[in-house]
Amino acid sequence: MKHLNITTKDTKKNMNISEIQKLKREKKAVILVHNYQRPEIQDIADYLGDSLELSRIAAKSDAKIIVFCGVRFMAESAKILSPEKIVLLPREEAGCELANMATKEELMKFKSKYPNACVVSYVNTNADIKAETDVCCTSANAVKVIQGVSAKQIIFVPDRNLANYVQRFTDKEIIPWNGFCYVHDGMKADTAKKIKSSYPDAKLVVHPECQKEMINLADAITSTGGMVKFARESNADKIIIGTEEGMIYRLQKENPNKIFYTIGNARMCRNMKMTTLEDVLLALREEKYRIELPDFILKAAKKSLDRMLEYN
Ligand code: 13P
Ligand code: SF4
């Protein structure tokens, strides 16, 4: 009976995948998938990557429809960069809790308190914040962006840990927003130390959304795309990964001879895990949920994202 259930489940999964592939071809769609998505979603990706890699692909793509398997700010960025395309977020409610910590009202207060400061926003922000931003950044290029702006004061929105991390690379005054990602901020340095002592030859790689105590312990601090590169290029065959657990699936698949560890119990981003194969199928079939933004937001936010893409 158990065997029968598994077979039925697999058949359904395969049917969903072939229907997704068929609709994708018919509708000239492309599927962009973030590194934290469920394994079965990663497996149907045309492009799998970090926020910066996926933004660059969205900006250049000649597809008619972009299906974005990730969270809302990522799909919004794709729409802002390619406003003529249909951009679909398969789960309407998949937001980023860090992005939701920055409001336009609060940002306007910051701006009037520091009138000469430049606003640098992490892409993990909603579109109305990007529209009030001078230049965006991701975890992959935050240091370069901070070093590149000419202002001496920088309002950095919304992640306080990333703000503190980039402060290490500049004499400019970084004014951090008090936001954080519950997935990364909740990872504890004490737990990382214990794992390191169990596997002394393992390397520790962490995302810059982690707290400074974790960052201080790490052998590398990098975006999820940077982790893919590190795992490929490093001589270490044991790597401890300080980021959302979805990352492990990709790293293990691409590096079958290496062992990857999480820091304590794997931490999951609930919004990243919402999207299922059924959601992607429905998104393609019914062309939902479309990202729509007011024209003035699209135009203003595009400037801050375009400026970011000028950095290598
Ligand atoms: P990356 O840009 O490194 O993929 O990170 C996105 C994110 O949401 C981290 O929590
Ligand atoms: Fe947002 Fe954190 Fe989830 Fe990344 S892991 S999408 S920052 S809540």
Side-chain angles (χ1 to χ4, degrees), residues 71-73 93-101 124-126 269 271:
V71 290
R72 177 165 292 272
F73 78 80
E93 70 278 37
C96 164
E97 294 177 37
L98 167 61
N100 293 339
M101 286 179 186
N124 300 45
T125 42
N126 296 318
C269 171
N271 287 287

Side-chain angles (χ1 to χ4, degrees), residues 2 7 72 97 127 137 146 167 179 190 269 271 279 308:
K2 200 172 167 202
T7 315
R72 177 165 292 272
E97 294 177 37
C137 71
I146 290 295
Q167 181 70 82
D190 282 351
C269 171
N271 287 287
D279 294 327
M308 171 185 86

Side-chain angles (χ1 to χ4, degrees), residues 34 36 50-51 73-74 122 124 138-139 184 207 209 223-224:
H34 186 265
Y36 294 160
D50 69 14
S51 313
F73 78 80
M74 297 179 175
Y122 195 26
N124 300 45
T138 76
S139 55
H184 292 89
H207 198 277
E209 287 175 16
S223 68
T224 62

Side-chain angles (χ1 to χ4, degrees), residues 255-271:
N255 304 277
N257 299 324
K258 298 188 179 183
I259 307 174
F260 297 93
Y261 301 94
T262 57
I263 295 169
N265 289 337
R267 293 185 67 88
M268 223 180 247
C269 171
R270 44 190 166 250
N271 287 287

Side-chain angles (χ1 to χ4, degrees), residues 189-202 204 217 240:
D190 282 351
T191 320
K193 275 185 201 154
K194 277 189 201 137
I195 301 173
K196 264 172 88 84
S197 64
S198 307
Y199 307 104
D201 53 342
L204 172 67
L217 286 178
I240 308 161

